[in-house]
Amino acid sequence: MRKEMITIERHFLTEMSKHADMQPNLINLFTDITLASKIIRSQVITAGLGDLLGKAGETNIQGEDVQKLDVFANDCIKNIIGKHGHFAVLGSEEEENVIEPSFKRKGAQYVLLFDPLDGSSNIDVNISVGTIFSIYKVLDGTKTPSEKDCMQPGYEQVAAGYVVYGASVMMVYTAGHGVHGFTYDPAVGEFLLSHENIKIPDTCTYYSINEGNASELKPQSLNFLKYVKGQTDDNQTAISARYVGSLVADFHRNLLKGGIFAYPATDSSPNGKLRLMYEANPLAFICEQAGGAASDGTQRMLDVVPTGLHQRVPLVIGNKDMVERFNKS
Ligand code: FDP
């Protein structure tokens, strides 16, 4: 029997009473995100029974195959969050241009960027996928919110989070005061606090890199791989490899168990594969808040100055000492 049942909204309110800089209007956002993720979850867990598995027959702005569930999740978030009223502009990994919300209150001051269904190429084989989101305020002096408001450096984020649809469904968020995790209880229909103040363990238990790309990796990544395999002179013992190929799932495991994830530059993709605004920055904010670090292989991820809404960036994220080690490799 649980002692306490704390919903995200209750938790956010309690945190707000402790931290004056937390944005009160965001509480509605969490209500909306949880609603969207409950709906997405209901489709993800029964996708094989209906007609929602497989490709939608289009490619997105990244040139990747769009899955039917990508489309569903994108529409679901747009419809729910678009009516939130406090968002001035939205950006989705699945859409080329910024999205005008269907309803805006006067003075709407937030920007929402989201990846509706990360890791979606894994859906058909029942591997965990996720939704990632990131929130900024519109730039000072903005009258007509535009792409510029969506292209702020990651250190300007006011909140970020993700939902992982796995063996259980979890939502993890930060509003700049630690990282908190909530597990969905289908019997109650709520996300309830299960992991308060998550800190990445000191020991790096896993490394997560797609080594199938080894022939295309730069010397920095290859040196780092030697290090985690205990093949250098540093007395580093070999650590275990774990790579699901679904960023949210790989990141979530490493956050809870200790680990480093890297999707570095390759010869054919010098900027890596992952997107700065939709994937790297929100997870970097969460990781730093949990005591970890994130870089693009040379500099702190949150300091990278965006040059495009859909720009890709090499991502190295996890235990701080390991990220530093990668940067120096
Ligand atoms: P996916 O293509 O399935 O959407 O965001 C892209 C992503 O998945 C990440 O979730 C995942 O970490 C990565 O691509 C996997 O890429 P590789 O198959 O090249 O390893």
Side-chain angles (χ1 to χ4, degrees):
M1 181 68 186
R2 290 193 205 100
K3 277 199 269 49
E4 288 186 293
M5 300 236 255
I6 300 173
T7 61
I8 293 190
E9 293 85 352
R10 166 79 39 222
H11 187 263
F12 195 84
L13 279 172
T14 311
E15 287 292 296
M16 247 173 56
S17 67
K18 295 189 231 158
H19 308 290
D21 64 333
M22 280 176 72
Q23 314 279 319
N25 292 331
L26 291 184
I27 191 150
N28 305 324
L29 168 81
F30 284 103
T31 309
D32 288 350
I33 292 263
T34 50
L35 173 60
S37 48
K38 284 177 205 172
I39 297 171
I40 297 168
R41 167 199 170 267
S42 71
Q43 297 300 316
V44 167
I45 62 170
T46 56
L49 297 172
D51 186 31
L52 268 174
L53 288 185
K55 296 175 187 167
E58 313 151 22
T59 52
N60 63 14
I61 172 71
Q62 331 284 345
E64 296 157 348
D65 285 326
V66 173
Q67 308 289 322
K68 289 180 194 167
L69 270 168
D70 280 326
V71 178
F72 177 86
N74 190 46
D75 289 347
C76 180
I77 294 175
K78 260 192 334 188
N79 287 335
I80 292 173
I81 311 285
K83 294 186 178 63
H84 178 270
H86 291 291
F87 283 105
V89 61
L90 314 175
S92 164
E93 195 211 90
E94 294 299 329
E95 303 211 14
E96 181 167 3
N97 300 312
V98 294
I99 305 160
E100 178 79 7
S102 53
F103 167 62
K104 242 195 258 187
R105 286 168 211 262
K106 201 163 175 277
Q109 55 172 340
Y110 296 105
V111 174
L112 176 75
L113 301 180
F114 60 97
D115 178 355
L117 213 55
D118 175 68
S120 57
S121 65
N122 294 295
I123 296 167
D124 293 6
V125 289
N126 210 353
I127 283 174
S128 302
V129 290
T131 297
I132 310 176
F133 62 92
S134 167
I135 299 162
Y136 297 79
K137 279 185 137 181
V138 291
L139 293 164
D140 280 348
T142 289
K143 290 210 174 67
T144 313
S146 67
E147 195 170 288
K148 249 174 93 181
D149 297 279
C150 297
M151 283 173 46
Q152 301 179 51
Y155 63 77
E156 296 286 4
Q157 288 172 102
V158 295
Y162 62 83
V163 180
V164 56
Y165 309 96
S168 67
V169 178
M170 265 193 80
M171 180 187 238
V172 173
Y173 89 89
T174 184
H177 297 284
V179 178
H180 311 290
F182 300 78
T183 302
Y184 183 66
D185 182 340
V188 180
E190 292 282 3
F191 283 90
L192 299 170
L193 183 63
S194 53
H195 298 64
E196 192 164 30
N197 209 7
I198 298 171
K199 291 286 171 213
I200 189 162
D202 289 339
T203 306
C204 181
T205 309
Y206 301 120
Y207 76 91
S208 313
I209 300 177
N210 183 347
E211 290 193 68
N213 292 332
S215 65
E216 288 215 25
L217 291 177
K218 310 278 180 203
Q220 181 189 31
S221 305
L222 295 171
N223 291 339
F224 182 74
L225 277 172
K226 279 194 184 152
Y227 177 71
V228 290
K229 290 175 181 184
Q231 293 169 337
T232 54
D233 299 329
D234 304 77
N235 288 333
Q236 162 74 21
T237 48
I239 60 176
S240 290
R242 292 284 188 284
Y243 187 81
V244 177
S246 174
L247 174 62
V248 172
D250 279 311
F251 174 76
H252 184 67
R253 181 200 53 244
N254 290 355
L255 180 70
L256 297 185
K257 300 284 185 193
I260 179 158
F261 173 98
Y263 206 112
T266 62
D267 291 340
S268 51
S269 306
N271 295 319
K273 177 180 183 189
L274 304 173
R275 294 75 173 174
L276 176 63
M277 305 311 296
Y278 303 105
E279 294 169 315
N281 272 340
L283 298 186
F285 186 22
I286 293 167
C287 197
E288 283 197 5
Q289 284 290 318
S295 83
D296 67 354
T298 54
Q299 65 167 323
R300 181 185 178 222
M301 187 61 74
L302 297 182
D303 289 337
V304 172
V305 179
T307 53
L309 189 57
H310 291 281
Q311 94 185 67
R312 295 175 195 265
V313 70
L315 172 64
V316 183
I317 189 165
N319 285 82
K320 207 172 184 171
D321 53 341
M322 280 297 188
V323 173
E324 280 163 13
R325 175 75 207 198
F326 188 104
N327 293 349
K328 283 191 271 169
S329 288

